[in-house]
Amino acid sequence: MGFGTVGRSVAKILCERTDGLLRLTHICNRNVERKKQPWVPSDVLWTENFQAVLDSEVEIVVELIGGLHPAEDLVRGALNAGKAVVTANKQLIARHGPDLLQLASSNGCQLEFGASVAGGVPVLPALRTGLSGDRLHGIAGILNGTCNYILSRLESDRIPFSEALEEAQARGYAEADASEDLDGGDARAKLSILALAGLHVRVSPADVRARTIRAIDVVDFDYAAELGCTIRQISRADLNDTTLFAEVGPSLVPASSPFGRVQRNLNLVLTSGEFGGDVAFLGAGAGGYPTAVAVISDLMFVAESLSLGPRPHRPLNLASPNVSCDFETPWYLRFWVKDQPGIIASLAAILSAHQLNIDAVLQKPGFDKNALPFVITLESCRDSQLHPALEQMSAQSFALRPCLCLPILR
Ligand SMILES: NC(=O)c1ccc[n+]([C@@H]2O[C@H](COP(=O)([O-])OP(=O)(O)OC[C@H]3O[C@@H](n4cnc5c(N)ncnc54)[C@H](OP(=O)(O)O)[C@@H]3O)[C@@H](O)[C@H]2O)c1
């Protein structure tokens, strides 16, 4: 279902396979006539009628339409008809994953979604098998290739944000409306799925705070470099008893760390386990063929499971923790001010009144005194402790823009 970028690549790989485990039987798409391809064998049925697919003897339905409508109804219909489902649909799984897994289980079917996070990087299958013997407590990742492309271009070539965004759009990495990418909506949906699969928690994407990367300026990379760091959009989730600390947003990371070294539109996921420690997964987070590889791998897993006979009903055991963004970290605060005497003293007084400790003050020479960027770093404190001070500092008459506040992840 869905013969677009990923669907076409999945069909192509299936048509070239010769091992007999998987056979493509139907291609279902709206206005399907214009989709037909000469390389698809003549016994494959092209159709717009999804019900006909369900009424046939197909064993696995692959949903590659995307979005919630009509994908959700189609996936529910397939599971209710006793078909296994493989999907790459992050919106669907992030919003309805637990319910759909429950539905699959009660129908004795499988639902696999390995391509829904990080495209061709096999992190979800690893959570299902290779890491299932551990008790994971943390997952962090660079999950949005568009943001990473833009931030790593700012870092390496000091080009303006708008130019890096246009370049990402021209290369097909970003949509014309890139809000979901830039403002963190895409990454937090993926983080919810990783938390579901790896931490066994039910978390709605809407409950995960997302901070935009739009406020990042080239000068932030200069200041970050002085601190031995660079800037990346990091999605992180830490499970701590009954609280899931989770958020998505631009963060300072050491330039020499795995996150600091991820360039262009690659994805990186790090898992932290109680017994096995940290494990890293790096690769292409999107693209027709890398994503299709993840879909085909899910298909092979399902086909092999089907050959073992009916699946026993296994109730889902998911926790529903409180979701908080109140991380305790050191912080990077960047101010953009009209220079005048006493600015540092005013800011220091506000910070001191909130019992926040300054770690360093950085000011690069050579800027116009009418629009001067400088940075204060803070010692570790909770987000909630810092927030009221930020509002007060941003309201000062010398502040030309709201203070940019980024966690420093060590
Ligand atoms: N592209 C990637 O790199 C990537 C990476 C990871 C995950 N994914 C996920 O993979 C899924 C597919 O993505 P994609 O990039 O392949 O999308 P796409 O290129 O837009 O393809 C979607 C296909 O579904 C068809 N379709 C849309 N609405 C339909 C409807 N109501 N009934 C029947 N067919 C319908 C579209 O037909 P029309 O041609 O008529 O529009 C199109 O052929 C999404 O869930 C996406 O999030 C994609």
Side-chain angles (χ1 to χ4, degrees), residues 1-8 28-31 34-35 48 63-67 69-71 74 87-91 115-120 186 190 285-288 291 295:
M1 293 157 50
F3 195 69
T5 306
V6 181
R8 201 174 309 124
C28 187
N29 204 99
R30 62 187 173 195
N31 308 323
R34 74 205 150 101
K35 294 278 184 179
E48 291 163 16
E63 186 279 304
L64 297 169
I65 290 176
H69 307 293
L74 299 180
T87 178
N89 191 327
K90 66 174 173 284
Q91 285 103 331
S116 62
V117 175
D186 172 83
K190 293 170 177 169
T291 309
V295 172

Side-chain angles (χ1 to χ4, degrees), residues 144-343:
N144 184 277
T146 306
C147 287
N148 208 64
Y149 183 86
I150 292 171
L151 293 175
S152 61
R153 285 288 283 131
L154 260 64
E155 176 194 16
S156 58
D157 298 288
R158 300 293 198 264
I159 58 173
F161 189 96
S162 55
E163 193 180 324
L165 173 59
E166 275 170 30
E167 203 178 271
Q169 285 165 329
R171 286 171 177 255
Y173 300 149
E175 302 284 328
D177 176 4
S179 308
E180 270 289 288
D181 294 320
L182 305 182
D183 302 336
D186 172 83
R188 72 178 174 181
K190 293 170 177 169
L191 187 65
S192 298
I193 298 173
L194 288 173
L196 168 69
L199 305 177
H200 310 292
V201 294
R202 189 188 286 264
V203 49
S204 160
D207 291 340
V208 176
R209 180 174 71 178
R211 294 179 290 105
T212 183
I213 68 161
R214 292 180 203 258
I216 305 295
D217 197 291
V218 166
V219 75
D220 294 310
F221 286 91
D222 296 331
Y223 281 120
E226 291 215 350
L227 298 164
C229 291
T230 185
I231 301 168
R232 294 288 184 265
Q233 186 208 45
I234 304 292
S235 306
R236 52 195 174 127
D238 289 324
L239 188 58
N240 188 338
D241 294 328
T242 55
T243 301
L244 182 78
F245 289 94
E247 81 146 9
V248 171
S251 309
L252 264 72
V253 292
S256 59
S257 67
F259 285 133
R261 291 201 303 265
V262 177
Q263 296 295 321
R264 303 280 169 145
N265 61 334
L266 291 182
N267 281 190
L268 173 71
V269 181
L270 290 183
T271 61
S272 305
E274 187 177 331
F275 304 105
D278 293 350
V279 179
F281 302 85
L282 173 73
Y289 278 116
T291 309
V293 168
V295 172
I296 300 281
S297 303
D298 275 354
L299 280 168
M300 292 175 67
F301 178 70
V302 172
E304 278 157 9
S305 307
L306 285 174
S307 69
L308 300 175
R311 288 167 65 79
H313 174 68
R314 278 217 329 234
L316 272 183
N317 196 6
L318 296 176
S320 297
N322 300 320
V323 182
S324 165
C325 59
D326 202 12
F327 284 96
E328 185 170 356
T329 60
W331 299 92
Y332 166 99
L333 311 181
R334 188 258 289 141
F335 300 87
W336 209 282
V337 298
K338 185 173 166 42
D339 202 14
Q340 65 185 53
I343 290 180

